[in-house]
Amino acid sequence: MSSSNPISIQTDLVFRPASNDPQNGPPKTVQYSKHKHSRSSYSEGSPLTAVSRNNSLSFRPLKRSTPSPNKTIAVINASGRQAASLIRIATAVGFKVRAQLRNLEGVIATEVATNPNVTVFVGELYVRNKPDDKQDVTAHGDLPGILVNHDLIAELFRGAQLAFVNTTFYGNELHIGQAIADAAKQVGVQHYVYSSMPDHSKYDPTWPSLPLWAAKHEIEEYVRNIGLPSTFVYTGIYNNNFTSLLYPLFCMELKPNGSFEWQAPFHPNAKLPWLDAEHDVGPAILQLFKDGPGKWNGKRIALAYEYLTPLEACRAFERGLGRPVRYKRGPIEIKVKIPEGYREQLEALEKLFSPYNEDPEKQPPYFGDRELDTRCPDDALALWEGPRGLEEYAREIFPMEEEANGMTWMFDNEYDLTCEPIYPLTTLTEGDCDRAPDVEGDIKDEDSVDEGLVMRGLKRDEEDWLA
């Protein structure tokens, strides 16, 4: 079968050829639903692109042209923040991409699907053995009757020399991850970059495993065992996770007085790795491909550009927004329906990063391996030196994403907000953090509530949470 034609599989597979493919015809017109990131920070309307560098004051003659890379990258979960960031920059410098999308909903999927250097395959990486099977495909563990979509995976890797893979919890993640690695091995992929995470119980038996991360760890071990030339990136907490919408764990809750509050179980004085996935994953992964497996084969990369405590993260957000931002240590509270797999992840995460641990030194390292944590941000800066930090994200991107969700707080000037009097960072203790009053009086906490990963209306796709 020619690689320019779609194949028959058990799920709906929408195939749109890249501009240089022999098959003609425009892609289907698709209605895209709105969700949290309903405006890309790289769109034509973005203030980041409003000023051209090639104006009369900064014009420089064009450099001598260089040949475009003659390689194709296979990408899994292409609407995720990590993958979309890579696709954006890789296609800009001449790479071709064969990208798998779960569906065509959302601004990122739209961006990927309309990129002329991307051949898109739309379909799930799993198939139901029985069409009327209604079981939750996000649940952790064995899923009887939920199989791997081998046909889609095989077609995706046809003609690919490189691969960037970030598996998610839809279907049996372990089986899907193994099948993806096998497909890459079969076609002779030259460099396989896998977005992994730790199984904390492997580093300390008293630490619980996080189900979604443990599956990635097991997939990493499988990739190593089959001898794929591979590199493993461990990504920090996304700056983009923060939202004033009432989602779990990273709700930056807008208080009645115009300030913000973030509630999470992390110790206020324990360091965590941070990453602007949309801005910085792509350049880093591209550098890995350019350097090749000769330099990076078998290595783990701590991909995080800041290493901040929750208090320091809130201070960075505060400087960016020009509004008070308070950290409140507390449990993860779930008040609306979410996929079972994500619920299990949050429950385990709260046990691992217990809100009742009083010693910051006893909080487990985010990446499991303490040595890997201590390499933040040096590992990442060795690949890409132009990151966007939390302060810059809060100042330039967070208000834009909030406005796209229908929020208007960024236009309100009725509050008399002062940042300086809120507990100086150098003197704030865990006790201060827990007992700190709201800026205007002792207002009862409105606990962070969880939004389902698959919603209607304002939608935050599961790729944005975990990819």
Side-chain angles (χ1 to χ4, degrees), residues 331-351:
I332 304 169
E333 298 189 88
I334 302 174
K335 296 185 177 180
V336 298
K337 182 180 180 181
I338 60 172
E340 184 60 28
Y342 191 54
R343 179 183 295 274
E344 293 170 351
Q345 176 80 355
L346 292 178
E347 291 173 351
L349 187 144
E350 188 173 302
K351 293 178 182 177

Side-chain angles (χ1 to χ4, degrees), residues 56 79 144 146 160 195 204 259-260 294 307:
S56 59
S79 61
I146 304 300
S195 184
D204 187 326
S259 65
F260 287 91
Y307 199 43

Side-chain angles (χ1 to χ4, degrees), residues 317-395:
F317 231 83
E318 183 174 276
R319 291 191 299 270
L321 292 178
R323 290 168 177 251
V325 178
R326 169 180 176 249
Y327 180 67
K328 178 185 176 185
R329 192 180 190 194
I332 304 169
E333 298 189 88
I334 302 174
K335 296 185 177 180
V336 298
K337 182 180 180 181
I338 60 172
E340 184 60 28
Y342 191 54
R343 179 183 295 274
E344 293 170 351
Q345 176 80 355
L346 292 178
E347 291 173 351
L349 187 144
E350 188 173 302
K351 293 178 182 177
L352 181 66
F353 301 106
S354 171
Y356 308 108
N357 168 36
E358 298 182 356
D359 185 354
E361 296 299 321
K362 292 183 179 179
Q363 177 168 295
Y366 190 80
F367 292 141
D369 182 353
R370 199 169 299 278
E371 191 270 335
L372 191 60
D373 267 47
T374 61
R375 290 187 351 226
C376 300
D378 294 342
D379 272 11
L381 289 171
L383 296 169
W384 163 241
E385 296 180 342
R388 181 166 67 198
L390 260 175
E391 180 178 344
E392 184 179 358
Y393 168 77
R395 180 173 59 250

Side-chain angles (χ1 to χ4, degrees), residues 35 85 110 116 118 168 286 299-300 315 383:
H35 62 100
S85 179
T110 305
V118 179
T168 66
L286 185 63
K299 294 187 178 179
R300 289 174 173 165
R315 278 293 176 181
L383 296 169

Side-chain angles (χ1 to χ4, degrees), residues 174-209:
L174 175 59
H175 293 171
I176 289 171
Q178 291 171 339
I180 292 170
D182 289 340
K185 176 81 170 179
Q186 185 173 359
V187 301
V189 162
Q190 299 163 12
H191 195 182
Y192 188 93
V193 177
Y194 181 65
S195 184
S196 189
M197 286 304 277
D199 180 348
H200 281 79
S201 68
K202 301 295 184 182
Y203 295 94
D204 187 326
T206 65
W207 295 343
S209 295

